[in-house]
């Protein structure tokens, strides 16, 4: 049995008796019943254009076009001459979501009473879907830690990621091969997506990773009312397609699977990340492209999110969806217990490294502050 600090020496992971300073990420603590997770409802969407400008509409929505069963997509095509890459040194924090909230405040507040104890927005947590994905996979993560900044403002907790030193180092030291492989996922999207409902993909166009279509969903995890946004690759534009988010399709690429060992690793590591990311916003399926080492897509497969838990059941020592969801839920409870001061100038920085507990530090009027003045002032008027 692993040793761990005495202040949370057993279940429950957060002690209510003494002020809690840390949260355990040990898997066994979270092997409980699956928590209540309400069907996510899309409350809106927004778009970012080729220059990363925000639009309060769905102009960047794309439509899925079913590929040939044996496609011959060359994912390397255009990397040198038809690629506009987003500047990932620019940290946008929650800005786009905050813009969306200000523009759509009336839609959110309408159902909320004027009682001062309830959050003015009618939600407990605002964040990116990607940050929640990291929380879901934390009990199984052995490589990369994270830093999450939290601020309580008008009764709502905002959670925004801070880049770790290690991640900054990796970003500054990517190999040319890695840089190119990061392009492959976007190129795959271009082969499968049309800009118009009756259009066709344009594989000779420019890939611009500034462009994004993001859904905004509302849901509830146990007693946490969540509002989050996530980037969506495309939708099913057919006449039978269900309403959003059920019509959305996530596109992924992965190395071709040739051996039982590769299949097992795919189930144990990649499917965990894929499941967590799409389960959160209620995206029901993934279209995966399997590529060879030269970036040629040799086959595609549709994966239903609801079938992933069955697919992995035969893997020894595999991940469990309930552990992911219970950990995320306990982390949000932990944050809400710790962060009590309602103040846009205060940040609690939650920090986690693999094989460690989650800990935090408090920062007042520092560069960790992430709620911009235009948002704080916009919410006051
Ligand atoms: O720290 C972050 N992760 C931040 C993300 C900080 C500030 C902004 N963002 C936002 C961007 O506005 C972007 O549009 O990330 C948005 C996507 O958010 P998400 O859906 O919550 O992120 P995630 O689920 O991690 O990624 C979804 C897709 C990725 O697709 P794949 O299939 O590779 O998972 O969004 C892209 C990527 O294509 N992506 C990003 N785009 C912009 N900025 C980022 C990022 N930092 N990370 C992933
Ligand atoms: Ca994708």
């Amino acid at each position: 049995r692993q040793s761990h600090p005495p202040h949370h020496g057993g279940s429950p992971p957060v002690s209510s008796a003494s002020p809690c300073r840390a949260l355990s990420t040990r898997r066994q603590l979270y092997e409980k019943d699956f928590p209540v997770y309400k069907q996510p409802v899309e409350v809106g969407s927004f778009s970012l254009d080729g220059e990363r400008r925000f639009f309060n509409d769905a102009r960047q929505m794309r439509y899925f076009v079913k590929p040939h069963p044996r496609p011959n997509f060359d994912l390397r095509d255009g990397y040198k001459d038809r690629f506009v890459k987003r500047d990932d040194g620019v940290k946008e924090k929650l800005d786009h979501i905050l813009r969306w909230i200000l523009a759509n405040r009336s839609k959110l507040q309408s159902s909320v009473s004027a009682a001062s104890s309830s959050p003015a927005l009618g939600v407990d947590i605002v964040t990116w879907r990607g940050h929640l994905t990291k929380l879901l996979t934390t009990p199984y993560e052995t490589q990369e830690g994270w830093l999450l900044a939290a601020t309580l403002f008008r009764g709502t907790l905002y959670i925004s990621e801070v880049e770790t030193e290690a991640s900054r180092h990796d970003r500054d030291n990517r190999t040319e091969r890695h840089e190119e492989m990061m392009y492959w996922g976007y190129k795959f999207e271009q082969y499968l997506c049309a800009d118009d409902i009756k259009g066709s993909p344009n594989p000779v166009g420019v890939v611009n990773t500034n462009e994004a279509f993001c859904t905004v969903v509302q849901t509830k995890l146990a007693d946490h009312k969540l509002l989050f946004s996530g980037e969506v690759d495309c939708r099913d534009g057919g006449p039978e397609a269900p309403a959003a988010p059920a019509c959305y399709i996530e596109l992924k690429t992965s190395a071709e699977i040739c051996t039982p060992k590769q299949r097992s690793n795919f189930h144990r590591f990649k499917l965990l990340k894929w499941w967590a990311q799409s389960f959160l916003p209620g995206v029901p399926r993934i279209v995966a492209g399997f590529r060879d080492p030269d970036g040629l897509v040799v086959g595609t497969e549709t994966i239903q999110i609801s079938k992933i838990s069955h697919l992995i059941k035969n893997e020894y020592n595999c991940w469990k969806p309930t552990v992911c969801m219970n950990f995320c839920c306990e982390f949000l409870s932990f944050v809400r217990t710790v962060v009590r001061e309602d103040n846009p100038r205060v940040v609690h920085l939650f920090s986690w490294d693999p094989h460690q507990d989650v800990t935090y530090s408090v920062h007042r009027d520092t560069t960790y502050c992430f709620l911009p003045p235009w948002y704080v002032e916009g919410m006051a008027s």
Side-chain angles (χ1 to χ4, degrees):
R1 192 176 147 158
Q2 234 178 298
S3 71
H4 50 268
H7 46 253
H8 55 86
S11 198
V14 179
S15 155
S16 50
S18 58
C20 35
R21 293 289 307 168
L23 175 72
S24 172
T25 62
R26 291 173 61 229
R27 294 165 200 171
Q28 304 93 299
L29 293 172
Y30 303 99
E31 295 204 354
K32 304 180 282 187
D33 290 344
F34 202 85
V36 171
Y37 190 64
K38 263 185 55 186
Q39 187 68 46
V41 173
E42 181 175 77
V43 291
S45 59
F46 59 86
S47 297
L48 305 173
D49 75 0
E51 293 167 61
R52 209 66 184 164
R53 290 176 300 203
F54 174 94
F55 293 90
N56 185 29
D57 58 41
R59 67 182 65 191
Q60 294 289 348
M61 167 89 77
R62 292 181 298 176
Y63 297 86
F64 178 73
V65 178
K66 203 175 157 58
H68 189 275
R70 296 201 55 84
N72 229 325
F73 301 146
D74 178 3
L75 301 180
R76 305 176 79 159
D77 179 51
Y79 176 65
K80 286 278 181 236
D81 58 316
R82 302 190 323 278
F83 178 30
V84 177
K85 188 177 176 286
R86 183 182 60 91
D87 180 353
D88 52 13
V90 177
K91 299 303 171 200
E92 301 171 323
K93 299 176 251 189
L94 298 185
D95 288 5
H96 300 308
I97 301 180
L98 303 181
R99 243 176 233 295
W100 182 88
I101 291 174
L102 275 189
N104 298 275
R105 222 173 3 152
S106 53
K107 285 191 204 171
L108 291 171
Q109 284 160 326
S110 53
S111 61
V112 177
S113 74
S116 59
S117 63
S118 61
L121 266 186
V123 298
D124 301 312
I125 315 266
V126 168
T127 192
W128 282 106
R129 177 270 306 275
H131 301 356
L132 295 173
T133 306
K134 285 198 176 170
L135 290 170
L136 258 63
T137 59
T138 294
Y140 299 103
E141 179 62 48
T142 59
Q143 307 290 318
E144 288 170 25
W146 47 249
L147 289 170
L148 291 168
T151 290
L152 186 63
F153 175 55
R154 294 183 160 230
T156 297
L157 199 57
Y158 295 80
I159 300 179
S160 178
E161 187 173 40
V162 172
E163 188 169 45
T164 63
E165 286 293 334
S167 157
R168 174 69 202 255
H169 178 269
D170 291 350
R171 187 161 63 81
D172 289 339
N173 293 279
R174 284 181 201 135
T175 62
E176 180 51 34
R177 166 92 179 158
H178 187 201
E179 283 286 345
E180 185 182 330
M181 287 178 75
M182 289 174 63
Y183 167 81
W184 292 1
Y186 296 102
K187 184 66 189 176
F188 182 63
E189 295 173 10
Q190 191 193 51
Y191 279 114
L192 296 187
C193 297
D195 289 343
D196 305 292
I197 190 157
K198 292 204 156 64
S200 309
N202 174 20
V204 296
V206 170
V207 169
N208 183 335
T209 59
N210 288 300
E211 297 175 2
F213 167 76
C214 295
T215 180
V216 183
V217 302
Q218 215 176 309
T219 184
K220 214 174 150 190
L221 172 57
D223 60 349
H224 309 296
K225 281 189 189 166
L226 314 178
L227 178 80
F228 59 85
S229 176
E231 192 174 324
V232 168
D233 294 326
C234 58
R235 63 164 291 161
D236 178 347
E240 312 279 74
C247 61
Y248 292 144
I249 303 171
E250 172 65 34
L251 306 177
K252 293 287 185 199
T253 59
S254 196
E256 190 184 1
I257 296 166
C258 303
T259 68
K261 176 81 179 164
Q262 287 169 342
R263 173 161 308 271
S264 174
N265 283 338
F266 175 76
H267 286 161
R268 295 186 56 192
F269 305 110
K270 198 148 262 189
L271 278 186
L272 164 59
K273 300 218 164 147
W274 290 9
W275 171 82
Q277 186 189 40
S278 288
F279 178 77
L280 280 164
V283 170
R285 58 191 165 133
I286 295 171
V287 172
F290 293 93
R291 43 127 189 108
D292 71 12
D294 298 325
L296 293 178
V297 173
V298 292
T300 62
E301 221 174 291
T302 299
I303 301 172
Q304 302 290 339
I305 300 303
S306 60
K307 291 190 180 154
I308 290 181
S309 59
H310 309 295
L311 271 177
I312 62 164
K313 281 225 168 84
N314 291 325
E315 294 295 341
Y316 174 71
N317 202 2
C318 203
W319 58 276
K320 295 188 178 81
T322 196
V323 168
C324 302
M325 295 302 282
N326 280 311
F327 172 73
C328 181
C329 191
E330 297 283 0
F331 173 78
L332 297 178
S333 300
F334 179 58
V335 176
R336 289 174 72 185
T337 319
V338 165
V339 183
R340 283 298 159 90
E341 186 177 341
D342 197 300
N343 184 343
R345 291 159 49 168
V346 173
V347 165
H348 284 71
L349 188 64
F350 291 82
S351 167
W352 179 74
D353 281 305
H355 315 295
Q356 307 291 319
D357 292 337
V358 179
T359 58
Y360 66 89
S361 50
V362 192
H363 306 263
R364 204 171 286 269
D365 291 314
T366 67
T367 51
Y368 288 124
C369 287
F370 62 86
L371 290 182
W374 54 260
Y375 183 71
V376 173
E377 286 152 23
M379 290 295 278
S381 57

